[in-house]
Amino acid sequence: EMTSSLVGSEMCIRDSSKAVNRFQKEDPTFRVHYDKDSKETIISGMGELHLEIYVERMRREYNIDCAVGRPQVSYRESIQGASDFDYTHKKQSGGAGQFAKVMGNLKATELVDPEEISAVAGEDLKFRNHFQTKVVGGKISEKFLLACQKGFEDCCEKGPLVGARVLGASMVINDGATHVVDSSEMAFRTATQFAFKQAFMKSNPVILEPIMNVVITAPNEFQGSVIGLVNKLQGIIQDTENNADDFIITSDCSLNNLFGIASNLRAVTQGKGEFTMEFKEYQPAPPQLQKQLIEEFQKKNAGKSAA
């Protein structure tokens, strides 16, 4: 089964509730959900061909002209460096004000001493988020420090670069200050969020893209064509196995380049090629792609602000 993280498993459709409800009853592998962020209906299935058939059925049986979109890649954000922060959140607007001061550092988790992190067996610390407090003398009370942790967790859900989930960030708060009247849990949560964003942008931030392990099997006569296809997709061939009648190529390829692979493979192998894929790891996206994603995110946010 192909899931939301895999290529060709999802399409964006509109004005088709009656059709998709019927198809879900007929086919348990065909699923539908509504994406609140993109305001699109997402259909999920066993692959591109599976979904293409249902889209065509909507056109023929229900006279629905589907607007089919390309599924979005699930990017992640991370940092490769470290930065100190000293942030004061201060707001006075008549009545009770807000005050919170937090100090400390943010760094890539892989730069932290593993002994400081309580790891789960088999866990890759490189992509683990970690929050720690080292405040002495009771400068910040325990309930405010818990609010700081909540602020850190908020930021890890939606990163500053493109609003994607953050991986591999370690935050330590080791000092700060409170106000007898104006300090509150909300003030410390907000202060931590701003401190995180500022330090994140100074810590060599990077957008990570999913890399897939792709295995292609096809008759020997198409080996040259398949290798050409993998190169076109900018995939890195890890292994090639030749059998009497067919061959198997194992490669690593960016998910962003894999849309349409089912159709392309059918074309270069006369429909005789097969492929499987699974998520392998996250790696930094190419600089040009990172720049493009950040610009698109900023434009989208500017549009929301204007609205």
Side-chain angles (χ1 to χ4, degrees):
E1 181 185 354
M2 302 183 83
T3 62
S4 59
S5 64
L6 303 186
V7 63
S9 64
E10 298 192 343
M11 289 185 178
C12 310
I13 60 175
R14 301 182 183 91
D15 302 327
S16 55
S17 57
K18 189 177 178 182
V20 295
N21 286 339
R22 178 189 155 196
F23 296 154
Q24 281 186 100
K25 290 175 184 175
E26 292 177 358
D27 183 353
T29 65
F30 179 82
R31 296 184 306 279
V32 183
H33 74 273
Y34 181 75
D35 190 309
K36 291 180 182 177
D37 294 331
S38 64
K39 295 181 172 57
E40 292 172 326
T41 300
I42 309 296
I43 59 174
S44 308
M46 301 296 285
E48 284 176 286
L49 184 59
H50 186 204
L51 300 181
E52 284 168 9
I53 289 168
Y54 278 115
V55 171
E56 187 59 33
R57 283 187 64 185
M58 287 179 212
R59 291 192 177 112
R60 290 185 181 181
E61 298 175 22
Y62 290 86
N63 200 27
I64 297 171
D65 188 18
C66 297
V68 180
R70 167 188 172 124
Q72 291 187 339
V73 173
S74 293
Y75 293 103
R76 296 288 184 265
E77 300 180 25
S78 189
I79 51 176
Q80 296 176 318
S83 176
D84 292 333
F85 59 82
D86 180 347
Y87 187 85
T88 303
H89 175 63
K90 200 171 183 180
K91 201 171 181 182
Q92 200 72 42
S93 54
Q98 292 181 34
F99 180 88
K101 180 182 176 73
V102 290
M103 299 168 66
N105 62 72
L106 182 74
K107 62 174 69 174
T109 306
E110 60 185 334
L111 302 177
V112 179
D113 183 352
E115 291 184 4
E116 288 190 25
I117 304 173
S118 55
V120 179
E123 183 180 29
D124 185 356
L125 288 182
K126 182 181 178 183
F127 295 132
R128 161 87 179 274
N129 293 324
H130 176 62
F131 179 83
Q132 193 174 8
T133 57
K134 295 182 178 178
V135 180
V136 294
K139 281 190 174 182
I140 304 175
S141 69
E142 193 64 34
K143 68 173 182 178
F144 291 159
L145 291 176
L146 284 172
C148 291
Q149 183 168 356
K150 288 282 193 299
F152 170 75
E153 290 167 358
D154 292 340
C155 291
C156 288
E157 281 300 308
K158 283 194 173 184
L161 292 177
V162 293
R165 195 179 303 163
V166 173
L167 300 178
S170 178
M171 188 179 203
V172 175
I173 292 179
N174 53 30
D175 203 355
T178 60
H179 186 278
V180 179
V181 178
D182 293 343
S183 286
S184 65
E185 291 174 52
M186 182 53 72
F188 272 93
R189 188 168 181 167
T190 304
T192 305
Q193 290 171 344
F194 280 106
F196 179 96
K197 288 172 185 174
Q198 285 188 358
F200 191 93
M201 299 307 287
K202 294 177 184 176
S203 304
N204 194 11
V206 63
I207 297 174
L208 304 173
E209 64 174 352
I211 302 298
M212 313 301 288
N213 178 249
V214 184
V215 180
I216 299 175
T217 305
N220 286 325
E221 60 190 288
F222 301 111
Q223 187 161 356
S225 303
V226 171
I227 290 174
L229 174 62
V230 173
N231 290 335
K232 187 180 176 184
L233 299 173
Q234 299 176 26
I236 299 172
I237 296 175
Q238 303 290 355
D239 186 41
T240 304
E241 182 184 329
N242 286 89
N243 301 315
D245 299 318
D246 57 19
F247 67 94
I248 301 170
I249 285 180
T250 304
S251 63
D252 293 341
C253 191
S254 160
L255 177 60
N256 194 46
N257 296 332
L258 287 172
F259 293 107
I261 184 176
S263 304
N264 293 334
L265 183 61
R266 283 201 302 270
V268 301
T269 63
Q270 297 176 14
K272 298 174 184 175
E274 300 175 355
F275 77 96
T276 61
M277 69 169 73
E278 63 180 359
F279 172 76
K280 183 180 181 184
E281 61 184 352
Y282 280 104
Q283 286 185 7
Q288 191 57 40
L289 176 60
Q290 293 194 46
K291 185 181 176 185
Q292 178 189 333
L293 291 169
I294 291 169
E295 286 175 357
E296 287 175 359
F297 180 71
Q298 289 173 344
K299 281 181 187 175
K300 188 178 174 183
N301 277 358
K304 283 181 181 176
S305 300

